[in-house]
Amino acid sequence: MNQRTQQDPMHGKTLKMILEELVSYYGWGELGIYVKIRCFNMNPSIKSSLAFLRKTPWARTKVEALYKEMLDEKNGKPKANNSPWPDVE
């Protein structure tokens, strides 16, 4: 196995596995906030979400990006602050 596949968090993961982990971690409600698609917000199910994500590349890209953020969060890496304003304490 080469170095690249060992470091790729998506290696060996199916879309179903990714979606199930996201639902387990965030729940449908929060997942629907992060990725605003109807199948996450109205009568959500793994089956309907997989069907939509498989035929909608932009949505799948957002789900995969959220999955990577979730892995970083689980591993204790700080979230990137993309806000134009600095944190105010």
Side-chain angles (χ1 to χ4, degrees), residues 16-28 30-31 46 70 74:
K16 183 177 181 183
M17 292 166 73
I18 291 169
L19 187 57
E20 287 172 342
E21 282 188 58
L22 285 169
V23 171
S24 174
Y25 189 76
Y26 292 113
W28 287 111
E30 197 170 346
L31 191 56
I46 296 290
M70 179 199 72
K74 280 183 168 183

Side-chain angles (χ1 to χ4, degrees), residues 20-60:
E20 287 172 342
E21 282 188 58
L22 285 169
V23 171
S24 174
Y25 189 76
Y26 292 113
W28 287 111
E30 197 170 346
L31 191 56
I33 292 169
Y34 288 124
V35 183
K36 292 175 178 54
I37 54 177
R38 188 176 203 161
C39 61
F40 287 174
N41 292 308
M42 300 189 69
N43 299 320
S45 73
I46 296 290
K47 185 178 179 181
S48 67
S49 299
L50 286 172
F52 180 77
L53 293 171
R54 286 183 177 133
K55 64 182 179 181
T56 315
W58 66 264
R60 183 176 181 149

